[in-house]
Amino acid sequence: MIKNITVLGAGTMGHGIAEFFAMNGYPVNIYEPYEPMRKSCKDTVKGELDFLAENGLITKADVEASLDRITMYEDMAAAVKDTDYVIEALKEDLALKQGIFADLEKMTKADCVCASNTSSLALNKMLEKVSKEKQGKCMVCHWYNPPHLMPLVELSYFGNMDEATFNEVRELYKKAGKQTCKVKKDVPGLVANRIQQGVAREAFSLMEQGIADPEDVETALKFGPAFRYATTGQLEVADMGGLDIWCTVGDNLLSVMDNRTEANPILRQKVEEGKLGMKSGEGFFKYPPEQAQEMKNAFQKKLIIQLKASKNYID
């Protein structure tokens, strides 16, 4: 049974993963080699926990209890020494992750499960320096951002791991309140990101062709397909509508929809102009510095409302 957890990296995903496990009663070690980030991590987590308490997702008492369950480390060996499950959320660099997994084999217990949060790097490539025996305890566990709010975690089941170990990890996530997707083949993007990119490709294309402005594309998505997707998957939507109709519409539409195999020019232009979204103050929409935190809070409040509502219909 997995009781002790270590997260490698205190960045956007790492601190959020640790925060979520701590919120749900697990002692969590965080290894962070960069001193400024290591020193600011708990303040970042506290700010997010306070926000959750203000919005009724947790209590004020939960804030301090969660923070008490998190221990920061500057030494990786010490952080993972007695852990049952370790997940790395470091830079998406293959050589870095190969070295991390090789080090983890030496530093962790034989039965410790070692995971990566990646959705873009192949598991077998990351494990090239790991023994066959230890590979049976390694997997991808891909979280969605922000990790302390989004319910989904994708779990790899690529043939290197026995079913009992996989079920142990899945049970960990289930007990902590996550919804898991079992991914049976090692493909770039796994499942959710590939679906998301399909939607994004057509959304960007509609703007590129001048068919609709950004505000109207958002309205069509939020109050059309995404309104159903909040509670219902695509396959159930198709069943409810009739597969014969979906087949006919597919024949009529797919041949005239965007099928390019690279990023849309309208997206690339934004990047070249330095319009990267909230992080730069402008993307498809504007985010004035004095309003940025308020706008981020509003975004997360919507996720909190959906998370609360989802408890009525998810497992």
Side-chain angles (χ1 to χ4, degrees), residues 82-239:
D82 298 313
T83 200
D84 303 310
Y85 173 81
V86 54
I87 178 168
E88 69 83 16
L90 298 166
K91 183 181 177 181
E92 287 290 272
D93 179 275
L94 179 58
L96 172 66
K97 293 185 188 291
Q98 286 176 334
I100 289 292
F101 273 101
D103 288 340
L104 287 175
E105 180 171 15
K106 301 171 187 174
M107 297 175 178
T108 59
K109 302 181 296 184
D111 61 349
C112 174
V113 176
C114 299
S116 173
N117 181 57
T118 187
S119 68
S120 63
L121 297 175
L123 180 63
N124 67 329
K125 292 291 185 182
M126 292 189 290
L127 302 183
E128 283 186 352
K129 299 180 180 180
V130 176
S131 70
K132 289 292 182 182
E133 184 178 6
K134 187 62 177 179
Q135 286 182 15
K137 294 290 184 180
C138 297
M139 65 191 301
V140 172
C141 297
H142 175 242
W143 296 54
Y144 245 50
N145 189 35
H148 64 296
L149 291 177
M150 294 294 288
L152 179 67
V153 180
E154 296 171 303
L155 307 180
S156 71
Y157 192 60
F158 297 157
N160 63 301
M161 174 175 284
D162 62 63
E163 189 173 7
T165 301
F166 176 84
N167 287 337
E168 182 182 19
V169 175
R170 182 162 59 180
E171 186 63 20
L172 164 70
Y173 280 100
K174 183 178 180 181
K175 284 184 177 180
K178 289 294 187 184
Q179 295 293 301
T180 61
C181 171
K182 183 179 183 179
V183 185
K184 298 191 288 184
K185 290 187 178 182
D186 196 353
V187 296
L190 303 177
V191 176
N193 275 344
R194 291 172 75 102
I195 295 170
Q196 182 172 250
Q197 281 297 317
V199 173
R201 179 169 62 184
E202 191 58 31
F204 297 146
S205 180
L206 289 166
M207 289 184 291
E208 178 192 16
Q209 296 178 67
I211 295 170
D213 293 330
E215 295 83 358
D216 292 305
V217 171
E218 292 287 84
T219 296
L221 182 57
K222 286 191 294 186
F223 298 103
F227 189 85
R228 292 185 299 207
Y229 290 157
T231 58
T232 311
Q234 176 59 61
L235 305 184
E236 185 180 355
V237 167
D239 276 349

Side-chain angles (χ1 to χ4, degrees), residues 23-37:
M23 283 167 54
N24 286 279
Y26 291 89
V28 185
N29 295 338
I30 301 179
Y31 161 69
E32 174 51 60
Y34 183 53
E35 185 177 6
M37 186 171 288

